[in-house]
Amino acid sequence: MTGVVGPDGTEWVSAVTALDRVPGLSGWTLWSWIRREQVRSRRVGRQVWVAWPDVLEVEAAAHLAGWRRGGYRGVHTDA
């Protein structure tokens, strides 16, 4: 199953599908976004569904901020 469109036009996909659609996105990162309420989610039975536009928006913002798997890119100084 790919996704379901809600009454407001928002596409909802299972969390597993979202992880498949975004290369390099880890489950821990997605759950973190859900816990921080950056990505809307709904539990349906035993599955968690997420709003696909939210996932794309947060992932794009993280990418622009320098996020990559394993942390943030940036200048690290050893003090």
Side-chain angles (χ1 to χ4, degrees):
M1 175 175 261
T2 56
V4 176
V5 178
D8 63 351
T10 301
E11 181 182 6
W12 292 82
V13 298
S14 69
V16 172
T17 301
L19 292 173
D20 289 342
R21 287 186 179 183
V22 181
L25 180 62
S26 73
W28 292 108
T29 301
L30 181 59
W31 298 127
S32 172
W33 293 344
I34 292 169
R35 278 193 314 271
R36 293 181 196 164
E37 297 180 0
Q38 294 174 307
V39 172
R40 291 173 289 168
S41 67
R42 300 287 181 262
R43 182 170 293 278
V44 179
R46 291 182 170 231
Q47 287 188 342
V48 174
W49 288 68
V50 294
W52 181 239
D54 294 357
V55 173
L56 291 178
E57 183 179 326
V58 174
E59 194 277 334
H63 180 73
L64 290 174
W67 172 83
R68 62 181 170 85
R69 257 190 311 182
Y72 282 86
R73 279 185 239 139
V75 178
H76 297 284
T77 58
D78 295 328

